[in-house]
Amino acid sequence: MSTTNIDLVNRAYAAVEVNNVDEYVSYFTDDAIYKVGNFDPVIGPEGIRALATPLVDMFDSVTHDVLNIWEFGDTVVCEMNVTYNRKDGKVATLPCVDVIHFANGKVRELKAYIDTTPAFT
């Protein structure tokens, strides 16, 4: 059974939802570009790990309610609501669109169009 890029996106989101940073970063190429909102981009699995690890301490969970997902060649576009459940009890559900480019079965670039401000304030 072949794995589609959409399958890989769903697996990556599932890893986030159980706070499995190691699995999540395994879906990215060594030189992947990862850009969330207006934050500076980070490069590669270790850059993504450095960005994600502190979030595990701040949030009980981050979930993805996928509304629409499309695959165009080596690109997946995902429209969703992302819910951030903070350890202090605050919950923020935010609209997001991810544009994800693949190369050789891994994420080469992910741009998340989201304003995460409400999740952190």
Side-chain angles (χ1 to χ4, degrees):
M1 182 171 146
S2 66
T3 300
T4 68
N5 291 334
I6 288 176
D7 293 332
L8 293 173
V9 169
N10 287 326
R11 289 181 191 169
Y13 291 161
V16 169
E17 292 178 2
V18 296
N19 289 331
N20 189 337
V21 175
D22 290 333
E23 180 182 348
Y24 184 66
V25 300
S26 76
Y27 293 104
F28 292 83
T29 64
D30 289 342
D31 61 349
I33 299 167
Y34 189 83
K35 173 110 172 74
V36 177
N38 63 343
F39 292 97
D40 290 334
V42 296
I43 306 299
E46 291 313 309
I48 298 164
R49 182 187 314 281
L51 179 71
T53 299
L55 300 179
V56 172
D57 293 333
M58 180 180 239
F59 297 101
D60 281 329
S61 66
V62 177
T63 60
H64 305 80
D65 178 18
V66 175
L67 305 173
N68 291 292
I69 192 165
W70 304 273
E71 186 169 6
F72 307 97
D74 287 334
T75 300
V76 171
V77 177
C78 185
E79 175 190 17
M80 64 190 137
N81 290 315
V82 181
T83 300
Y84 295 84
N85 294 286
R86 288 188 355 189
K87 293 191 184 244
D88 67 3
K90 181 176 180 179
V91 176
T93 299
L94 308 170
C96 179
V97 172
D98 281 357
V99 179
I100 307 161
H101 302 284
F102 287 83
N104 302 315
K106 289 197 169 195
V107 176
R108 179 180 48 83
E109 181 179 35
L110 185 149
K111 291 182 180 174
Y113 295 91
I114 186 171
D115 178 3
T116 59
T117 304
F120 291 94
T121 57

